Amino acid sequence: MHNTSTLTKARLFICLFSTFILATGLLFSNPAAYAENTVAREPILVTGHSNPDTDSTASAIALSHLLNQLGKSAVPMTQGPLNPETKYVLERFSVPAPELVGNVANRNIAIVDFTDTPQAPAGFDKANLVFIADHHKLGNVTSSSPLEAWILPYGSTATVLYQVYTYYGIPVPKDIAGIMLGAILSDTVIFRSATATDKDLESANALAKIAGVDDIAALGMKLFAIKSDISQKGSMELLQRDYKEFNMNGQKIGIAQLEMTDSTPALKRKAGFLSAMKDMKEKTHSQSVLFMLTDIMQGNTTLLVVSDNPQLIENAFSKKIVNDEMKLPGVMSRKKQLIPDLEKAFRK
Amino acid sequence: MHNTSTLTKARLFICLFSTFILATGLLFSNPAAYAENTVAREPILVTGHSNPDTDSTASAIALSHLLNQLGKSAVPMTQGPLNPETKYVLERFSVPAPELVGNVANRNIAIVDFTDTPQAPAGFDKANLVFIADHHKLGNVTSSSPLEAWILPYGSTATVLYQVYTYYGIPVPKDIAGIMLGAILSDTVIFRSATATDKDLESANALAKIAGVDDIAALGMKLFAIKSDISQKGSMELLQRDYKEFNMNGQKIGIAQLEMTDSTPALKRKAGFLSAMKDMKEKTHSQSVLFMLTDIMQGNTTLLVVSDNPQLIENAFSKKIVNDEMKLPGVMSRKKQLIPDLEKAFRK
């Protein structure tokens, strides 16, 4: 009895189905299902990580524009003041700086260039996460509903977002193309970083064309000249400029990086940096504070180390710490050349 | 002095750069950077969640093929025996079943159709995660290196993977197109689920063309007829068939689902199911075990409830539990219609 009844229902269903659904396809008019997760009329706050850099800032602006083009209301935000390089990029392409983000509890949120909760704004654990674009290792953020996450191993989040624009067939406006180009050049160290891929070069060339930038390398060098000028900056300010916190097997580790076209002036300020690192370690109750002084012309890093367990840092890289520093030839990427070895050492 | 030196270096760099890098682009021959994260010569194990279903099995096979086409060595795996529906789909399109996965510690791993560690194979916390394809909420998996993650809010992971094939310009082979089509039909309940999107319909139509399937709806109904035939199956077997564990605010919750073209026979076996649910709750030390008996023709669910805190379950859906069950008209999706409300209730 049940078999017959099921079969009859099935035949009826197939008939209705073939006629209405497959023939028309009109029932599916919603182009992106995650819209259903967002609270109606409330804009999505799009933000990069704490201590914003050029990639996280440009990517927040780029994703915000894309979401608006897809019919969601979104606004770009920043978690802190912009560094001189980022300010230059926004001014050069006439893009206004994002506003400071407040507590994001009970708000819709999209995050770019990070997936670790220590780098998220206050109230993040009570926010509704709807979108992620990133190019780092996957951190500990989670969501309560299906979301959209584009995490691709390219040299910058701007490169990832250029793929998302292409996927949705949304044109990149001229001004946003300019800041995305700046983000790629900054994050890939003008394609010299170990994280740089052919997609970064391809995307940069396409974005330069849209933005009307003829000399990509000259723009890149201008950015690094701005970043390299540390003469007017205090030690703590430079330490904090690109400082990221990580949780490694339960231990809090802070890792800062300065990328310079010439690291000589920075190396002369080592004593001041070590003092700032000790203050930072105490203030943040960290197990270690590391500072990468990266010379992008020479392609190497001097790592300053303040740690409760220097032996562990030495083990991670099979190198000795001499006078609070470790020479790391060929190392330019925190994400790809420092973090994985450190995490392995901390897990042992 | 430093300014002049930096400028000279910069000019030299721009010159070299423009000539060699931008003109040729040949330095970037590696099409996907995550290859660098994989241990040489060791294949990537591609696996779906525990209690494999058709989407997780077909997606493991589809992603494995894609990775091989991209030059990585990969093999599809399964975490357990296949259900009757999945077996039918593989046989219908002549695709061999994946082998059982063992402990994945120190192996390269790609995961499909889940991102929650309770659904991962043994040794996952010591594995090197290189790729994720999914369509659920983002769970608690993390990685130690940059990875590739495609998480899109479509109705099936197979739909997401069809986008990845398109992104890389890799053609889907006929047999794999067939099982991906089966996965979409199964996971979207033939496009009737709340999770179904226009991308699922588009992808299914494209895959049907490749696979040579003329009548998509008939294939879908065949799958649900197989799934609906519970006459020869024990209560515990049916409970375990699509049983997923979740961690909700520190509490372990098990949620099973049976999707049927006619739920009448299942409703008659309520006493047996409740008894199996009590055994399961005790064995797994869970706070609640829920069982969704979903009638895909009527488009509703009868939720059987065994819980230490039935009041919390009632609050989640603003409904009363009567005789250990709750009627949920219009509810067909565990992921989209059950989990978010439950998580909210558990967080209060």
Side-chain angles (χ1 to χ4, degrees):
Chain A
M1 275 298 279
H2 276 304
N3 279 350
T4 316
S5 153
T6 303
L7 198 59
T8 310
K9 278 193 181 183
R11 281 185 183 139
L12 179 66
F13 183 58
I14 290 173
C15 171
L16 288 170
F17 211 82
S18 307
T19 314
F20 292 105
I21 310 291
L22 292 174
T24 70
L26 288 176
L27 278 181
F28 305 95
S29 53
N30 181 7
Y34 62 86
E36 294 172 31
N37 299 330
T38 64
V39 179
R41 313 181 72 84
E42 203 199 341
I44 300 165
L45 308 179
V46 187
T47 183
H49 49 73
S50 49
N51 275 325
D53 60 9
T54 301
D55 192 27
S56 67
T57 307
S59 293
I61 294 166
L63 177 55
S64 178
H65 176 79
L66 177 69
L67 290 171
N68 278 293
Q69 293 304 109
L70 292 173
K72 342 275 171 242
S73 171
V75 283
M77 308 296 288
T78 178
Q79 288 200 53
L82 304 182
N83 68 40
E85 183 204 64
T86 307
K87 277 184 190 160
Y88 171 81
V89 169
L90 294 187
E91 277 162 24
R92 161 100 183 236
F93 296 101
S94 307
V95 173
E99 303 218 359
L100 268 178
V101 72
N103 189 299
V104 298
N106 303 315
R107 304 296 299 267
N108 292 313
I109 188 165
I111 60 175
V112 290
D113 207 32
F114 76 99
T115 55
D116 274 300
T117 53
Q119 295 168 23
F124 181 77
D125 56 324
K126 303 255 184 248
N128 181 36
L129 179 62
V130 299
F131 203 112
I132 299 172
D134 194 19
H135 68 128
H136 297 86
K137 73 189 182 70
L138 179 58
N140 65 339
V141 304
T142 60
S143 72
S144 352
S145 300
L147 81 174
E148 184 155 347
W150 293 75
I151 308 174
L152 298 169
Y154 302 145
S156 78
T157 297
T159 307
V160 175
L161 283 173
Y162 183 64
Q163 317 308 313
V164 186
Y165 268 88
T166 306
Y167 178 76
Y168 283 112
I170 303 289
V172 185
K174 186 174 180 180
D175 55 347
I176 291 180
I179 63 173
M180 288 172 81
L181 172 62
I184 296 175
L185 293 170
S186 170
D187 245 41
T188 63
V189 193
I190 323 177
F191 314 114
R192 287 167 65 98
S193 165
T195 63
T197 67
D198 59 347
K199 280 285 179 194
D200 299 303
L201 191 64
E202 265 175 45
S203 306
N205 282 328
L207 290 164
K209 215 169 160 185
I210 299 168
V213 172
D214 293 328
D215 193 339
I216 295 181
L219 173 60
M221 287 311 295
K222 173 71 185 167
L223 301 189
F224 280 92
I226 294 169
K227 198 185 266 189
S228 304
D229 179 12
I230 61 170
S231 57
Q232 305 302 313
K233 310 288 173 184
S235 298
M236 184 52 92
E237 186 182 348
L238 291 169
L239 179 68
Q240 289 179 321
R241 183 188 277 177
D242 180 13
Y243 184 90
K244 289 189 180 172
E245 284 191 347
F246 299 89
N247 178 331
M248 296 199 184
N249 211 10
Q251 312 261 31
K252 198 196 244 186
I253 312 296
I255 310 178
Q257 184 174 26
L258 268 189
E259 290 162 320
M260 297 153 289
T261 44
D262 179 2
S263 62
T264 319
L267 292 171
K268 286 187 182 154
R269 293 175 56 175
K270 179 172 150 181
F273 289 149
L274 285 169
S275 163
M277 290 164 70
K278 275 167 199 155
D279 291 349
M280 177 67 97
K281 179 171 171 301
E282 199 166 311
K283 197 182 73 179
T284 57
H285 308 286
S286 298
Q287 193 257 19
S288 301
V289 170
L290 311 178
F291 197 0
M292 299 175 71
L293 303 177
T294 301
D295 191 311
I296 66 168
M297 301 303 290
Q298 312 250 349
N300 64 35
T301 287
T302 300
L303 186 70
L304 305 186
V305 178
V306 173
S307 175
D308 290 339
N309 189 351
Q311 182 66 49
L312 194 61
I313 312 293
E314 291 189 338
N315 292 347
F317 305 105
S318 308
K319 295 253 175 191
K320 285 284 160 203
I321 297 168
V322 180
N323 294 329
D324 304 310
E325 72 174 51
M326 190 186 273
K327 293 287 182 194
L328 297 173
V331 168
M332 295 174 72
S333 165
R334 170 171 49 195
K335 175 173 51 229
K336 202 149 179 175
Q337 296 174 294
L338 217 71
I339 307 281
D341 287 342
L342 275 173
E343 292 217 317
K344 258 180 230 151
F346 273 85
R347 262 190 280 171
K348 266 176 196 160
Chain B
M1 275 298 280
H2 275 305
N3 279 350
T4 317
S5 153
T6 304
L7 198 59
T8 310
K9 278 193 181 182
R11 281 186 183 138
L12 179 66
F13 183 58
I14 290 174
C15 171
L16 288 170
F17 211 82
S18 308
T19 314
F20 292 105
I21 310 292
L22 291 174
T24 70
L26 288 176
L27 277 181
F28 305 95
S29 52
N30 180 7
Y34 62 86
E36 295 172 30
N37 299 330
T38 64
V39 179
R41 313 181 72 85
E42 202 199 341
I44 300 166
L45 308 179
V46 187
T47 183
H49 49 73
S50 49
N51 275 325
D53 60 9
T54 301
D55 192 27
S56 66
T57 307
S59 293
I61 294 166
L63 178 55
S64 179
H65 176 79
L66 177 69
L67 290 171
N68 279 294
Q69 292 304 109
L70 292 174
K72 341 275 172 242
S73 171
V75 283
M77 308 297 288
T78 178
Q79 287 200 52
L82 305 182
N83 68 40
E85 183 204 64
T86 307
K87 278 185 190 159
Y88 171 81
V89 169
L90 294 187
E91 278 162 24
R92 161 100 182 236
F93 296 101
S94 307
V95 174
E99 303 218 0
L100 268 178
V101 71
N103 190 299
V104 298
N106 303 315
R107 304 296 299 267
N108 292 313
I109 187 166
I111 61 175
V112 291
D113 207 32
F114 76 99
T115 56
D116 275 299
T117 53
Q119 295 167 23
F124 181 78
D125 57 324
K126 303 255 184 248
N128 180 36
L129 179 61
V130 299
F131 203 112
I132 299 172
D134 194 19
H135 68 128
H136 297 86
K137 74 189 181 71
L138 179 58
N140 65 339
V141 304
T142 60
S143 72
S144 354
S145 300
L147 81 174
E148 184 155 347
W150 293 75
I151 308 175
L152 297 169
Y154 302 145
S156 78
T157 297
T159 307
V160 175
L161 283 173
Y162 183 64
Q163 316 307 314
V164 186
Y165 268 88
T166 306
Y167 178 75
Y168 283 111
I170 304 289
V172 185
K174 186 174 180 178
D175 55 347
I176 291 179
I179 63 173
M180 287 172 82
L181 172 62
I184 296 175
L185 293 170
S186 170
D187 245 40
T188 63
V189 192
I190 323 177
F191 314 115
R192 287 166 64 97
S193 165
T195 63
T197 67
D198 58 347
K199 279 285 179 194
D200 299 302
L201 191 63
E202 264 175 46
S203 306
N205 282 328
L207 290 164
K209 215 170 160 184
I210 299 168
V213 172
D214 293 327
D215 193 339
I216 294 181
L219 173 61
M221 287 311 295
K222 174 70 185 167
L223 301 189
F224 280 92
I226 294 169
K227 198 184 265 189
S228 303
D229 180 12
I230 61 170
S231 57
Q232 304 302 313
K233 310 287 173 184
S235 299
M236 184 53 92
E237 186 182 348
L238 291 169
L239 178 68
Q240 289 179 319
R241 183 188 279 177
D242 180 13
Y243 185 90
K244 288 188 180 171
E245 283 190 347
F246 299 89
N247 179 332
M248 296 201 183
N249 211 10
Q251 311 261 31
K252 197 196 242 186
I253 311 296
I255 310 178
Q257 184 174 26
L258 267 189
E259 290 162 321
M260 296 153 290
T261 44
D262 179 3
S263 62
T264 319
L267 292 171
K268 286 187 182 153
R269 293 175 57 175
K270 179 172 150 182
F273 288 149
L274 285 169
S275 164
M277 290 163 70
K278 276 168 198 154
D279 290 350
M280 177 67 97
K281 178 171 172 300
E282 200 166 310
K283 197 182 75 178
T284 57
H285 308 286
S286 298
Q287 193 257 19
S288 301
V289 170
L290 310 178
F291 197 1
M292 300 175 71
L293 303 177
T294 300
D295 191 311
I296 67 168
M297 302 302 290
Q298 312 249 350
N300 64 35
T301 287
T302 300
L303 186 71
L304 304 186
V305 179
V306 174
S307 176
D308 290 339
N309 189 352
Q311 182 66 49
L312 194 60
I313 312 294
E314 291 189 337
N315 293 347
F317 305 105
S318 308
K319 295 252 175 191
K320 285 283 160 203
I321 298 169
V322 180
N323 294 329
D324 304 311
E325 71 174 52
M326 190 187 272
K327 293 287 183 195
L328 297 173
V331 169
M332 295 174 71
S333 166
R334 169 171 49 195
K335 176 173 50 228
K336 203 150 180 175
Q337 296 174 293
L338 217 71
I339 307 281
D341 287 342
L342 275 174
E343 292 217 318
K344 258 180 231 151
F346 272 85
R347 262 190 280 171
K348 266 176 195 158

